[in-house]
Amino acid sequence: MVKQKKILLVNPSCLDERLFGEDAGIVPIGLYYIGSQLIENGYDTKIVNLADNNKNSVSEFQKIIKNEMPDIIGFSVINPNRWNAMACARAARQILPHVVIVFGGPAPTFLFEHLMAACPDIDFIVTGEGEITFLELVSELDKKTIESFEHIKGLVIKKGDAFFKTAPRSPVTELDSLIHPSKYFVYQHLSMSRGCPGKCTFCGSPKFWGNSMVRYHSPEWFADEIQSLVKKGITHFFISDDTFTMDKPGVIEFCNHIIRRNLDITWNAISRVDAIDEDILFAMRKAGCIQLSFGVESGSEKIRKTLGKPIKQEKITAAFSLTVSHGILARAYFIYGSPGETDQTIQESINLLNTIKPLGAIFYLLMIFPGTHLYQSVKDKGLLTDNVWHQKIEDLPWFEVDETLDFKKVKAFGDKLRSEFYNNLDTFAQKLNLVDIKELYPFHADFLSRLAMTFSLGEYAGNPRIKNQEKIARILYDRALSYAPDPKAFLGLAMLLQKERAFNKAITLLEKGLNHLPGNKDLNICMGVCLMNTGQFKTALLFFEKFSEFPGISQYINICHQNISGQKYEQKHPL
């Protein structure tokens, strides 16, 4: 039975425009958890993602409000999107004066006093985990006679010009007790755990989740969630646990579930260099893991300690080598502009970069946020207050509170790191040592082919800072085929030959590929295109007609018919 209250859960847009596909445009998994709890309990609930519409998000939201006429609106707020959340709250209040407006997420959890003062339109703030608190709030609002909200834990309640903070809510201990979000929603980003035992001084995760105790979904629950999403058409996943591999037995059991259920998926995850070994990497690779990201942070041991990552360089080097050896792309997160950063420490980061040879890297300027040790330390020294967030800024770079650093200096640090990575990436890609385990040969072929495609067709192909893209791609494709007949390797090599207009060589190569993989659509279509380019239209038609029901194939069939008989092909089942 659908209850009376109509609810919108909103992911606001960030202040600064984002590139398509960036994480800020993704609906946070927490909204799906909250939404599923509400729907399961009979509430009409929809999720609105404004993050993919930076320029017109407020006007778009006004249209949604007028169309949906919600009773309650919940905003998932982080520092970068808080301004849009406040603007949308104001717009909603103007259209629906009696609508209940709720903020939740990291920014309201750590900045509830500031946001209550800055945004008079907020009625409630949910601190920390939101599933139970939000449901209890909605249930209370659904009553005909409301007595009080003060018994609901984890709330900040507006009271005139003041506010009241209720007792904190304990974290959900049994994560499997929550409704599967995939029952009602479709998404790619998900996590098996909550919390992090780490002490990183730049991260607010431990404080947000309540303590350093990590809580886990059972491996079976998590595999069920992925299987449900696979049935809805999702084949690639982003597992966003702070440290996915912390529970080794649990991760291996999860991987075994994926393998036993024969789920043909790929996925990325995040880990720590001191939380992996051969067993877990072997299981993860067989279960579809293709990328593992590590927070390296800095090549300076002193800075790593300052950032709460007192890990020895030998451990970092071993982790990258071990990960790549199992056919998983090891990606490095580096931070620059940290306390104590100098030209010397940047050179140490460059030295580490060239030692670990990451195949992917992201370089972040150090930002400080509420809820982190660094932010609190700066507040304790009187260098800033929460009033800094009255400024129209997304975040606060460390260099703005560090007299030894400035924008010009830290920008040069970042430019130097990125240049070093891209200038040496072609060399990194040629120095891959893969474990000689025959069971992993098909996975090695897949890994090398995927990497090759980033050089020939993907993100590295058009980057002018990267050298020898096509040469590296060809080397990687050839090496892939030395392990197994991977379709991406045959296709990638054939496309390079097409680009050179060496169609007959491409045809010979594709014949080998189709001997191994006769039903592969991409290889068949590529063969058809090569045959067309050599005037063999009748033969080309045989390859296209196998896949005539797929979008875009009819144009090739038409070209073949017109060149064979001058007649246009009429598709029996228009797409």
Side-chain angles (χ1 to χ4, degrees):
M1 176 182 174
V2 176
K3 299 179 182 178
Q4 292 181 350
K5 297 298 181 187
K6 191 171 187 178
I7 303 163
L8 291 185
L9 300 176
V10 184
N11 182 38
S13 67
C14 292
L15 185 62
D16 299 332
E17 192 168 353
R18 294 299 201 276
L19 296 173
F20 177 78
E22 287 195 43
D23 285 352
I26 305 299
V27 173
I29 183 65
L31 280 190
Y32 292 123
Y33 272 91
I34 293 170
S36 62
Q37 294 291 124
L38 293 168
I39 296 171
E40 186 75 6
N41 282 274
Y43 293 102
D44 181 354
T45 305
K46 293 182 180 178
I47 291 178
V48 176
N49 187 16
L50 299 176
D52 55 3
N53 187 9
N54 259 71
K55 294 181 180 177
N56 304 303
S57 56
V58 176
S59 59
E60 182 65 27
F61 188 60
Q62 288 172 324
K63 294 176 187 176
I64 293 170
I65 291 295
K66 291 174 182 177
N67 184 54
E68 297 291 338
M69 300 295 287
D71 300 292
I72 303 169
I73 306 173
F75 292 91
S76 178
V77 187
I78 55 177
N79 271 53
N81 70 20
R82 71 190 189 284
W83 281 98
N84 183 248
M86 291 190 289
C88 287
R90 186 162 53 252
R93 181 72 70 204
Q94 290 170 351
I95 297 168
L96 298 173
H98 301 295
V99 70
V100 175
I101 293 173
V102 186
F103 275 26
T109 295
F110 301 129
L111 286 174
F112 59 86
E113 292 184 58
H114 165 80
L115 285 170
M116 276 290 192
C119 185
D121 300 295
I122 299 172
D123 295 303
F124 301 94
I125 282 176
V126 172
T127 60
E129 291 181 345
E131 292 93 348
I132 308 305
T133 303
F134 200 96
L135 178 59
E136 288 185 4
L137 173 62
V138 171
S139 299
E140 190 66 39
L141 288 166
D142 205 37
K143 294 178 181 178
K144 291 183 179 179
T145 311
I146 299 173
E147 296 180 4
S148 172
F149 299 102
E150 294 181 10
H151 67 283
I152 301 175
K153 295 179 179 179
L155 269 187
V156 181
I157 306 164
K158 181 179 179 181
K159 288 196 167 187
D161 294 331
F163 62 86
F164 176 80
K165 191 173 189 292
T166 69
R169 181 175 294 278
S170 299
V172 177
T173 54
E174 296 294 332
L175 294 184
D176 285 5
S177 67
L178 299 171
I179 301 300
H180 278 278
S182 62
K183 183 176 180 180
Y184 300 107
F185 302 105
V186 180
Y187 51 89
Q188 290 179 279
H189 290 69
L190 67 175
S191 62
M192 188 172 171
S193 67
R194 295 184 182 184
C196 181
K199 305 292 183 185
C200 299
T201 59
F202 55 87
C203 180
S205 178
K207 190 173 180 181
F208 180 80
W209 295 117
N211 52 47
S212 58
M213 181 187 74
V214 182
R215 294 158 289 136
Y216 298 92
H217 280 296
S218 67
E220 185 175 7
W221 190 101
F222 196 52
D224 288 344
E225 183 74 350
I226 285 182
Q227 186 168 7
S228 173
L229 291 165
V230 169
K231 289 178 180 177
K232 295 183 177 185
I234 305 300
T235 58
H236 183 72
F237 297 91
F238 300 89
I239 298 178
S240 54
D241 302 55
D242 290 312
T243 306
F244 177 65
T245 58
M246 192 61 65
D247 175 20
K248 177 181 173 179
V251 170
I252 291 177
E253 185 182 343
F254 159 72
C255 291
N256 288 336
H257 273 291
I258 298 300
I259 295 165
R260 282 197 300 268
R261 299 180 194 196
N262 202 27
L263 297 180
D264 186 15
I265 61 171
T266 53
W267 44 281
N268 303 352
I270 304 167
S271 186
R272 286 173 59 104
V273 297
D274 54 357
I276 60 164
D277 62 19
E278 291 92 339
D279 294 336
I280 202 167
L281 291 171
F282 180 79
M284 288 170 63
R285 186 64 189 98
K286 289 191 66 183
C289 180
I290 60 172
Q291 179 177 289
L292 196 53
S293 298
F294 299 100
V296 172
E297 321 314 354
S298 174
S300 163
E301 188 172 341
K302 182 178 179 181
I303 287 182
R304 288 200 299 272
K305 287 181 179 178
T306 299
L307 296 177
K309 281 280 188 75
I311 298 173
K312 296 295 183 182
Q313 181 166 322
E314 294 76 18
K315 181 71 76 172
I316 299 171
T317 303
F320 273 78
S321 176
L322 195 61
T323 301
V324 171
S325 75
H326 283 75
I328 298 173
L329 190 147
R331 184 170 70 162
Y333 294 140
F334 279 89
I335 292 175
Y336 62 95
S338 301
E341 196 83 88
T342 63
D343 288 326
Q344 177 58 37
T345 61
I346 290 297
Q347 186 58 50
E348 291 178 67
S349 289
I350 288 172
N351 295 341
L352 179 59
L353 177 74
N354 287 317
T355 299
I356 63 177
K357 301 176 178 60
L359 299 171
I362 299 181
F363 303 93
Y364 293 106
L365 175 61
L366 179 61
M367 302 290 178
I368 52 174
F369 293 102
T372 67
H373 173 80
L374 283 176
Y375 182 83
Q376 190 60 46
S377 70
V378 171
K379 281 185 67 176
D380 291 344
K381 292 174 183 176
L383 297 177
L384 61 75
T385 69
D386 289 342
N387 288 332
V388 69
W389 304 112
H390 285 299
Q391 300 176 43
K392 254 196 169 176
I393 55 174
E394 278 197 359
D395 39 41
L396 184 67
W398 173 263
F399 72 79
E400 291 194 5
V401 296
D402 188 332
E403 61 183 13
T404 68
L405 299 171
D406 57 39
F407 174 76
K408 183 178 179 181
K409 189 178 288 186
V410 297
K411 182 180 183 302
F413 290 159
D415 290 344
K416 195 171 183 180
L417 287 165
R418 292 184 183 91
S419 294
E420 191 72 20
F421 170 67
Y422 289 118
N423 287 338
N424 290 285
L425 187 55
D426 62 325
T427 304
F428 297 166
Q430 294 182 73
K431 295 184 176 180
L432 305 175
N433 295 313
L434 303 178
V435 292
D436 190 17
I437 301 174
K438 288 188 177 181
E439 195 174 349
L440 289 181
Y441 281 7
F443 298 96
H444 289 346
D446 173 80
F447 164 63
L448 292 164
S449 297
R450 289 179 186 278
L451 182 58
M453 282 198 159
T454 65
F455 282 93
S456 64
L457 298 168
E459 62 174 305
Y460 294 156
N463 192 322
R465 293 175 290 183
I466 299 174
K467 297 173 287 189
N468 306 313
Q469 287 106 321
E470 290 189 5
K471 175 187 172 184
I472 299 304
R474 195 181 299 273
I475 291 170
L476 293 169
Y477 285 133
D478 284 334
R479 190 174 175 193
L481 292 176
S482 73
Y483 282 103
D486 187 271
K488 296 181 295 299
F490 284 116
L491 181 65
L493 283 170
M495 292 178 74
L496 288 175
L497 290 169
Q498 280 183 331
K499 190 174 179 181
E500 298 169 1
R501 304 200 65 78
F503 296 110
N504 287 323
K505 288 183 178 180
I507 289 169
T508 300
L509 176 71
L510 289 165
E511 285 174 347
K512 293 179 182 177
L514 289 167
N515 282 336
H516 292 285
L517 305 151
N520 185 277
K521 179 173 73 74
D522 292 334
L523 295 182
N524 275 276
I525 301 308
C526 190
M527 174 66 93
V529 171
C530 288
L531 290 166
M532 284 171 55
N533 277 280
T534 57
Q536 301 177 68
F537 293 99
K538 284 186 178 180
T539 309
L541 191 58
L542 299 175
F543 291 91
F544 294 133
E545 286 180 335
K546 299 178 191 177
F547 304 96
S548 60
E549 300 300 313
F550 285 83
I553 305 302
S554 61
Q555 63 176 321
Y556 296 122
I557 294 176
N558 270 329
I559 293 170
C560 290
H561 277 292
Q562 287 171 359
N563 279 275
I564 294 167
S565 62
Q567 296 181 351
K568 189 175 181 181
Y569 165 69
E570 295 294 336
Q571 192 174 8
K572 294 181 181 179
H573 305 286
L575 296 169

